């Protein structure tokens, strides 16, 4: 699923690390792909995926939606709502038909779990259109 993300910070030491914001939720992401140079303060189309195995998934009685970074790693503890169709609400919707396939008993419930990292792919289509429009104005 495509989201519009604002780049908040870029790491000078780790070129794949950035802090981005989607729906006013700031998080550190691993840039898995970008076909162009990204700049702080700019908006870009991105695809977000949860990378690695889902660890320690359980039903959450807290009924909260948030993501918490685990120290200085790319890992996160995720708190969200898992819809009947397997989509996950973490303040924005994560669509991955295979990610929660083994957990249908948690559909329709709040869940908490750990992931190795949150990956972002900066998409080219929308950026190309915006760049071309800016050149003609």
């Amino acid at each position: 699923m495509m989201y519009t993300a604002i780049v908040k910070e870029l790491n000078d030491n780790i070129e794949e690390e950035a802090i981005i914001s989607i729906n006013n939720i700031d998080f550190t992401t691993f840039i898995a792909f970008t076909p162009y140079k990204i700049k702080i303060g700019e908006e870009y189309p991105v695809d977000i995926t949860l990378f690695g195995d889902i660890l320690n998934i359980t039903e959450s009685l807290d009924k909260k939606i948030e993501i918490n970074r685990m120290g200085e790693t790319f890992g996160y503890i995720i708190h969200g709502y898992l819809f009947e169709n397997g989509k996950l609400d973490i303040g924005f919707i994560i669509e991955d038909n295979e990610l929660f396939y083994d957990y249908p008993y948690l559909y329709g419930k709040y869940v908490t779990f750990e992931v190795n990292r949150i990956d972002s792919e900066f998409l080219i289509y929308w950026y190309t259109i915006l760049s071309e429009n800016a050149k003609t104005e």
Side-chain angles (χ1 to χ4, degrees):
M1 182 170 186
M2 187 177 83
Y3 308 94
T4 300
I6 299 170
V7 176
K8 298 286 190 149
E9 291 181 35
L10 296 170
N11 187 322
D12 292 332
N13 298 317
I14 304 171
E15 69 180 52
E16 296 89 357
E17 182 178 312
I19 296 175
I20 63 174
S21 181
I22 299 175
N23 292 348
N24 294 316
I25 298 169
D26 295 356
F27 59 97
T28 300
T29 183
F30 180 88
I31 302 170
F33 176 76
T34 182
Y36 43 80
K37 183 171 175 58
I38 56 177
K39 299 175 186 172
I40 295 172
E42 298 289 325
E43 288 187 354
Y44 298 96
V46 296
D47 184 32
I48 300 295
T49 55
L50 303 179
F51 178 83
D53 294 329
I54 292 180
L55 305 171
N56 307 319
I57 188 166
T58 59
E59 181 177 357
S60 174
L61 302 177
D62 294 335
K63 297 185 178 182
K64 60 184 174 181
I65 294 175
E66 65 184 23
I67 57 177
N68 300 306
R69 188 173 180 192
M70 296 188 297
E72 295 297 313
T73 71
F74 283 106
Y76 274 86
I77 297 173
I78 307 282
H79 302 274
Y81 182 79
L82 187 58
F83 290 97
E84 299 289 338
N85 58 7
K87 294 179 183 177
L88 178 69
D89 182 357
I90 60 171
F92 54 92
I93 303 299
I94 297 291
E95 288 187 45
D96 188 330
N97 294 337
E98 296 178 16
L99 194 60
F100 300 103
Y101 180 79
D102 292 333
Y103 308 101
Y105 59 93
L106 293 172
Y107 288 1
K109 297 178 181 178
Y110 286 87
V111 295
T112 186
F113 60 93
E114 297 174 16
V115 293
N116 295 356
R117 67 183 193 220
I118 301 174
D119 281 3
S120 58
E121 292 186 22
F122 284 71
L123 305 175
I124 194 165
Y125 177 73
W126 185 60
Y127 181 77
T128 302
I129 291 173
L130 289 179
S131 296
E132 291 302 316
N133 287 342
K135 289 178 187 175
T136 61
E137 292 180 355

